[in-house]
Amino acid sequence: MFRIAEMIAVGRLAGAVALLAGIAGCGGGSGTPQSGGPTASHGGLLQPLPNSSGLVELAFEPVDPAAKGAKAKGRIVAYFSNPNGDGPPTASVSEVAFTDASGKPVALAEKASAGTGARYESPELTLPSAAELHGKLAGKIGGESFEVVNRPR
């Protein structure tokens, strides 16, 4: 009899803890931006550069957007902008390269950009999965080295 009462008490305690955790939340954000800050406009992941020197969006642009399948041909593209995301970076960008998750580096060359900011892209290549561009982007901005890890969800 004592065992059943003990189990009921533990069950009630666990239920109360679960209810409080649900009401209080986990302390994390919702994952959506709460301010009207810059957003990624090329389908990539927008990330800040060190020392508030600007933003970079890393994306994969397929040669044929209608192509289907696991392997995709296209270019790795890095878009650099100022910290507000509305113009070119505040300092010059150079020596840009992407290293994929397997450790293979690919140099990105500067290309003319029709929009605001600077555009760097790789030669045409084939990736195992264009949907998830995992690796790190490195280079220099204003003469200082930077490295940004890209891990899309």
Side-chain angles (χ1 to χ4, degrees), residues 24-35 153:
C26 298
S30 65
T32 57
Q34 298 299 316
S35 67
R153 295 181 204 204

Side-chain angles (χ1 to χ4, degrees), residues 3 14 92 101 121 142:
R3 198 104 163 106
S92 63
E121 68 179 47

Side-chain angles (χ1 to χ4, degrees), residues 9-150:
V10 170
R12 284 183 181 159
L13 179 61
V17 169
L19 178 63
L20 288 174
I23 292 170
C26 298
S30 65
T32 57
Q34 298 299 316
S35 67
T39 58
S41 58
H42 301 96
L45 186 62
L46 189 64
Q47 298 187 56
L49 291 168
N51 302 321
S52 300
S53 55
L55 301 169
V56 62
E57 179 183 359
L58 189 62
F60 181 77
E61 294 183 352
V63 173
D64 179 7
K68 304 219 185 233
K71 294 190 180 257
K73 263 191 180 183
R75 291 180 176 80
I76 298 169
V77 183
Y79 296 92
F80 293 88
S81 65
N82 64 28
N84 296 326
D86 59 4
T90 55
S92 63
V93 179
S94 62
E95 300 178 31
V96 180
F98 178 77
T99 303
D100 68 17
S102 69
K104 181 181 174 189
V106 177
L108 278 64
E110 187 172 13
K111 299 293 180 184
S113 178
T116 59
R119 175 188 167 110
Y120 283 74
E121 68 179 47
S122 72
E124 190 175 301
L125 48 80
T126 302
L127 292 179
S129 171
E132 302 222 349
L133 192 57
H134 291 273
K136 67 181 176 183
L137 184 72
K140 290 186 176 184
I141 185 160
E144 291 190 39
S145 296
F146 72 84
E147 187 173 285
V148 177
V149 177
N150 194 62

